[in-house]
Amino acid sequence: MRTSQLYLNTLKEAPSEAELTSHKLMVRAGLIKKLGSGLYTWMPLGMRVLRKVEEIVRDEMNAAGAQELLMPTIQPAELWQETGRWALFGPQMLKIKDRHERDFCFGPTHEEVITDIARSELRSYKQLPVNMYQVQVKFRDEIRPRFGVMRAREFVMKDAYSFDADFAGLQVSYGKMYTAYSNIFTRLGLKFRAVAADTGAIGGDGSHEFQVLADAGEDILAYAPDSDFAANVELAEALAPTTPRAAPAEAMRDIDTPKQTTCEAVAELMGVGIERTVKLIALVGGEAEEFFVVLLRGDHTLNEVKLAKAVGGEFRFATEEEIRAVFNCPPGFLGPIGLDTDNISVIADRSVAVMSDFVCGANKPKFHIAGVNFGRDLPEPNAVADIRNVVSGDPSPDGKGKLELCRGIEVGHIFQLRTKYSEAMNATYVAEDGQPKFFEMGCYGIGVSRIVAAAIEQNYDERGIIFTQAMAPFALAVVAVGYHRSEAVKTAADQLYADLKAAGVDVLLDDRNERPGSMFADMELIGIPHRITIGDKGLADGLVEYVARAGGEMQKIALADAVSFARKQLA
């Protein structure tokens, strides 16, 4: 394509509301245009990138045996009511009514729809396994849409669903999708990790997130450099300390802390390490609104996902009024000493359970207590569990080295749903023994539009986007300097453009009547990985200039060899 035929509208400045680099660059490069909050038009240049991602996704899904279909975006409420998610999905679901006042939603996901198809179409074990996928628009009414297409309300997603006769079959299907996803992100040229993850609102048993590694990522990942272990911090296990609890060596004593309400401040005042302090967090859980507390080491943070699993349900943080009613003390000075553990459960993190001579709140304003020990000064905790986030240096759960942390952007998620939806919707098939059985299901999602933003967060510089060749809107740009004033440049550029197209190169000819600096800046901003420049001066010697977008040095090459040279660079 020629730039004179391409709708190309680049900007020097990003909109003021753009926060992430990807959002700024996608707007500046003319890939997207904002319509409303969390709503974006994909402009022609952006569509070329999006379609290239979709092509690789489809290629690998088809190779894995999945079959493409397209389900409606608008879904009847009755299906969601069968699974109970009509009420549970929350305000993210955009609910609408038709002219007959019937309830529908703009699909945020399609588990209900695909399960309805399976229960009416798949009758026998002989038809299994089946994996069907679609590439389609989804809508989730984010409370705070931000970061451009990274967290938009409307987005493009690939969602696939597998149906198997038994769990062993599901594991095979799941493994195929794991491999397909790894192939997709490898082909896209992204640095990524597949990490064990919580199943969240989708439900089911096992799941893995595919995370593009980038500093702007919202998720924190734990991984072991010496092994393949990787997990979202929500799921990464903090192993119990191997060193047993030491015997008490200090007398318990009050510490005057008039303004110190945090573990950091108390540790600094006392001149001790923060790892010797214990913080108490007051919580309320269950339908009965039962008050309970958890104990964490001062330098650790609560993992709410782990705690919810430990207590077997949802919980909330206690209000200040509830705290004062139990402790007769304001927050900031709370501790476990003197608690009625027969009526108030105390859950200690594994690291706290082996501590001795620790520092905690005194349950009276402006005081903490040092030299506290379980057994001697207070009862053993009602329960001990892994309820904290791992930190760098923790031992890896697989026993191979120590953990490190990094940030990631979730671009794919696969789930073993098991029979969660088939049971809720009574979706059965006739098994080999003639009896009806529920389908074993898997669910596999990729944020197609999100991949584009994630790739930019991983690959950019001060000049703009650096697309990988697989995703770039064009693989190579030919910049013709003086195209409109030099017949030699025009002739050479047109011929090279034609020869490159004939050789199968996805090429853009910049034939605009612009200054060279503006032409180069645009090609760099939009991220085209390879560039050949043609100008009068070089042509006099039969030469053109080549440069790679990703920091390559400029090379002079013979115009006669330009096509073969370009093909080698693109191989």
Side-chain angles (χ1 to χ4, degrees):
M1 181 173 283
R2 297 169 180 264
T3 52
S4 57
Q5 300 168 332
L6 173 68
Y7 185 86
L8 180 63
N9 184 24
T10 58
L11 302 173
K12 290 186 178 180
E13 300 293 334
S16 58
E17 75 271 12
E19 298 178 56
L20 286 188
T21 298
S22 58
H23 187 190
K24 296 175 182 178
L25 290 177
M26 290 182 77
V27 173
R28 285 189 56 214
L31 304 185
I32 58 173
K33 182 177 178 60
K34 184 177 179 179
L35 175 63
S37 177
L39 302 173
Y40 292 88
T41 298
W42 284 83
M43 302 302 286
L45 196 69
M47 279 300 296
R48 291 185 66 90
V49 179
L50 197 64
R51 291 295 184 233
K52 289 193 174 185
V53 175
E54 290 180 6
E55 182 181 355
I56 289 175
V57 169
R58 283 190 169 95
D59 192 29
E60 291 298 333
M61 291 300 295
N62 294 340
Q67 301 176 68
E68 187 171 7
L69 80 170
L70 184 62
M71 293 176 277
T73 57
I74 306 300
Q75 305 176 22
E78 289 82 359
L79 292 180
W80 287 78
Q81 288 163 350
E82 283 189 62
T83 61
R85 293 208 297 171
W86 183 255
L88 293 176
F89 205 87
Q92 276 195 329
M93 180 188 289
L94 180 62
K95 297 178 180 179
I96 55 180
K97 290 182 181 289
D98 69 3
R99 67 180 65 192
H100 303 292
E101 292 297 306
R102 293 176 297 204
D103 288 317
F104 292 83
C105 69
F106 194 123
T109 184
H110 277 70
E111 284 81 12
E112 282 79 2
V113 176
I114 197 70
T115 305
D116 182 59
I117 292 172
R119 68 182 174 183
S120 62
E121 297 287 335
L122 303 177
R123 302 292 189 184
S124 168
Y125 72 94
K126 295 179 180 179
Q127 296 173 273
L128 303 177
V130 168
N131 189 332
M132 292 180 279
Y133 78 96
Q134 63 175 351
V135 179
Q136 197 226 48
V137 170
K138 298 283 193 294
F139 187 94
R140 296 179 186 174
D141 199 1
E142 294 279 354
I143 189 171
R144 189 186 173 199
R146 55 198 302 226
F147 305 150
V149 299
M150 189 77 77
R151 189 167 289 280
R153 293 196 292 170
E154 184 177 282
F155 54 95
V156 180
M157 180 179 179
K158 188 284 301 176
D159 47 322
Y161 307 89
S162 65
F163 297 86
D164 283 277
D166 52 31
F167 182 52
L170 169 59
Q171 289 179 304
V172 172
S173 296
Y174 188 87
K176 288 180 179 179
M177 289 297 97
Y178 186 100
T179 299
Y181 275 39
S182 298
N183 292 343
I184 288 167
F185 298 120
T186 298
R187 286 182 59 183
L188 288 171
L190 300 174
K191 300 183 187 73
F192 72 97
R193 271 190 177 263
V195 302
D198 185 66
T199 55
I202 299 295
D205 288 351
S207 81
H208 284 85
E209 291 173 350
F210 287 78
Q211 297 269 359
V212 168
L213 306 183
D215 291 338
E218 293 182 288
D219 295 327
I220 300 177
L221 315 178
Y223 69 98
D226 299 327
S227 74
D228 293 331
F229 175 83
N232 194 299
V233 289
E234 292 178 342
L235 204 64
E237 181 184 8
L239 297 179
T242 56
T243 304
R245 183 195 299 166
E250 298 179 11
M252 193 166 65
R253 60 199 184 278
D254 283 351
I255 304 295
D256 186 11
T257 53
K259 298 180 180 180
Q260 290 74 18
T261 59
T262 66
C263 291
E264 292 86 352
V266 171
E268 183 178 359
L269 176 71
M270 295 182 61
V272 300
I274 190 175
E275 70 278 1
R276 290 190 57 191
T277 65
V278 169
K279 56 189 169 187
L280 180 148
I281 302 174
L283 304 155
V284 177
E287 294 181 3
E289 292 275 281
E290 294 181 355
F291 193 95
F292 70 100
V293 301
V294 299
L295 303 179
L296 291 174
R297 212 169 74 180
D299 57 335
H300 290 158
T301 57
L302 179 66
N303 185 310
E304 295 183 34
V305 172
K306 290 181 181 180
L307 180 59
K309 291 178 179 178
V311 300
E314 295 182 354
F315 64 89
R316 63 175 174 82
F317 293 94
T319 65
E320 183 170 346
E321 291 74 18
E322 289 169 328
I323 290 172
R324 286 180 178 271
V326 172
F327 290 90
N328 193 29
C329 177
F333 305 96
L334 306 180
I337 293 178
L339 276 182
D340 180 7
T341 54
D342 290 332
N343 295 304
I344 299 176
S345 290
V346 177
I347 302 174
D349 182 66
R350 290 170 171 174
S351 59
V352 173
V354 299
M355 291 178 68
S356 60
D357 296 325
F358 58 82
V359 180
C360 64
N363 292 330
K364 57 183 179 181
K366 302 183 179 181
F367 281 93
H368 283 73
I369 300 179
V372 180
N373 289 271
F374 289 109
R376 187 191 72 179
D377 307 316
L378 73 165
E380 296 290 342
N382 298 90
V384 175
D386 172 24
I387 55 173
R388 71 172 175 91
N389 289 319
V390 295
V391 296
S392 292
D394 278 341
S396 176
D398 64 0
K400 300 177 181 178
K402 295 185 180 297
L403 293 177
E404 292 185 12
L405 301 183
C406 66
R407 288 195 170 271
I409 300 168
E410 181 189 339
V411 291
H413 205 159
I414 59 177
F415 302 84
Q416 294 181 17
L417 296 176
R418 300 297 307 270
T419 60
K420 173 182 171 71
Y421 293 92
S422 56
E423 286 190 36
M425 299 182 68
N426 195 31
T428 63
Y429 69 96
V430 177
E432 195 169 1
D433 61 6
Q435 299 300 311
K437 291 187 178 179
F438 293 112
F439 294 106
E440 289 277 356
M441 291 177 58
C443 169
Y444 319 96
I446 284 181
V448 176
S449 50
R450 198 171 214 235
I451 285 174
V452 179
I456 294 170
E457 289 295 337
Q458 197 175 77
N459 299 285
Y460 69 90
D461 61 15
E462 69 282 356
R463 293 171 293 171
I465 301 167
I466 305 175
F467 274 124
T468 62
Q469 190 170 303
M471 295 178 61
F474 299 92
L476 183 146
V478 173
V479 176
V481 177
Y483 184 90
H484 291 269
R485 64 174 183 271
S486 169
E487 190 61 33
V489 169
K490 182 178 185 301
T491 300
D494 286 344
Q495 186 60 56
L496 179 58
Y497 173 62
D499 292 343
L500 288 166
K501 286 181 64 178
V505 176
D506 185 17
V507 58
L508 174 67
L509 171 59
D510 194 344
D511 58 353
R512 294 174 296 169
N513 189 19
E514 296 282 352
R515 292 180 295 106
S518 295
M519 300 166 79
F520 295 153
D522 278 346
M523 295 304 104
E524 290 173 336
L525 174 61
I526 66 180
I528 297 179
H530 306 276
R531 186 180 82 217
I532 291 176
T533 302
I534 298 178
D536 272 325
K537 187 175 180 180
L539 284 179
D541 297 320
L543 300 174
V544 295
E545 295 177 352
Y546 165 81
V547 67
R549 176 68 182 85
E553 295 292 328
M554 189 271 289
Q555 302 178 55
K556 292 184 180 295
I557 58 174
L559 174 61
D561 299 330
V563 173
S564 60
F565 179 87
R567 292 184 66 180
K568 288 179 182 178
Q569 301 303 309
L570 298 172

